[in-house]
Amino acid sequence: MDELSPEAVLPRLRGRFGLPYRFEDACASTQRLLDGQPEGAVAATDFQSEGRGRLGRTWEAPPGSSLLFSLVLEPEAPPERLPELTPLAGHAVADAVRALTGLATIVKAPNDVLVEGRKLAGILGEAAEGRVVLGIGVNLRQRHEELPERPVFPATSLALEGVEVARADLLAEVLARLESAYDAWR
């Protein structure tokens, strides 16, 4: 079964990112579930009713079709460096997908992960008061008709690319790679 319950995710974690871990079947936005949580906290869901992307865009996905989660960071860095965390997370997602699927992924700065020119994932970083919350969405099981129309960099999913990955495995891999990259960045 492909689930994101604590019982499925916690045994797969390899570092401090993901602790504490919260899962909700549905929520407005995973970013909102992290108020007051410490660095490394993660909130994940099967469905977001108010998922957001960059530039005020919406992020929509049928329940259970995507990896949708947010992570809290509290870097001791000047505010002008905080935007660097979005592409850093993009590279962690791209590397994790590549490691688990063999797909050739690239990051289109500042926040998209592409497979052969098609958008597979997006990252939204929001900074306030020394905290950065990274919202990450990766399309896993959507069919063409479930993805938004995009004239440039059309949307795709792992299923449309011919591969399948358990969401808990991908979450753990992204968090491990992001933690390592974040520690080096600091």
Side-chain angles (χ1 to χ4, degrees):
M1 195 152 174
D2 183 30
E3 59 181 64
L4 290 171
S5 69
E7 296 79 18
V9 171
L10 293 175
R12 290 173 164 86
L13 297 179
R14 304 190 304 266
R16 68 187 188 284
F17 280 11
L19 300 172
Y21 177 77
R22 179 176 178 182
F23 172 77
E24 298 289 335
D25 291 324
C27 66
S29 169
T30 55
Q31 290 180 316
R32 294 185 196 161
L33 298 176
L34 292 171
D35 288 344
Q37 293 298 308
E39 180 170 83
V42 168
T45 191
D46 280 336
F47 177 75
Q48 293 184 115
S49 60
E50 297 175 22
R52 295 176 293 128
R54 202 168 148 257
L55 305 174
R57 295 181 183 114
T58 60
W59 183 280
E60 298 177 6
S65 67
S66 299
L67 174 59
L68 304 170
F69 72 98
S70 292
L71 166 72
V72 174
L73 300 176
E74 295 179 340
E76 292 183 19
E80 61 270 12
R81 287 202 61 213
L82 299 182
E84 297 170 13
L85 293 171
T86 298
L88 185 90
H91 285 284
V93 171
D95 293 347
V97 169
R98 188 178 314 110
L100 294 177
T101 68
L103 291 174
T105 54
I106 64 164
V107 175
K108 182 184 82 58
N111 72 322
D112 293 337
V113 176
L114 306 179
V115 175
E116 298 200 16
R118 296 179 293 277
K119 183 174 177 177
L120 178 69
I123 295 92
L124 178 64
E126 295 186 315
E129 301 174 10
R131 290 168 54 95
V132 176
V133 177
L134 295 171
I136 298 174
V138 184
N139 296 329
L140 270 69
R141 290 193 272 294
Q142 291 95 326
R143 298 181 307 268
H144 285 288
E145 62 272 14
E146 295 173 316
L147 292 166
E149 290 291 324
R150 296 173 48 98
V152 179
F153 305 111
T156 191
S157 68
L158 290 180
L160 291 174
E161 299 301 324
V163 295
E164 187 175 320
V165 173
R167 291 183 300 162
D169 289 340
L170 182 56
L171 176 58
E173 190 67 26
V174 169
L175 292 175
R177 289 173 182 272
L178 183 51
E179 183 176 323
S180 177
Y182 176 69
D183 288 347
W185 176 85
R186 287 192 312 173

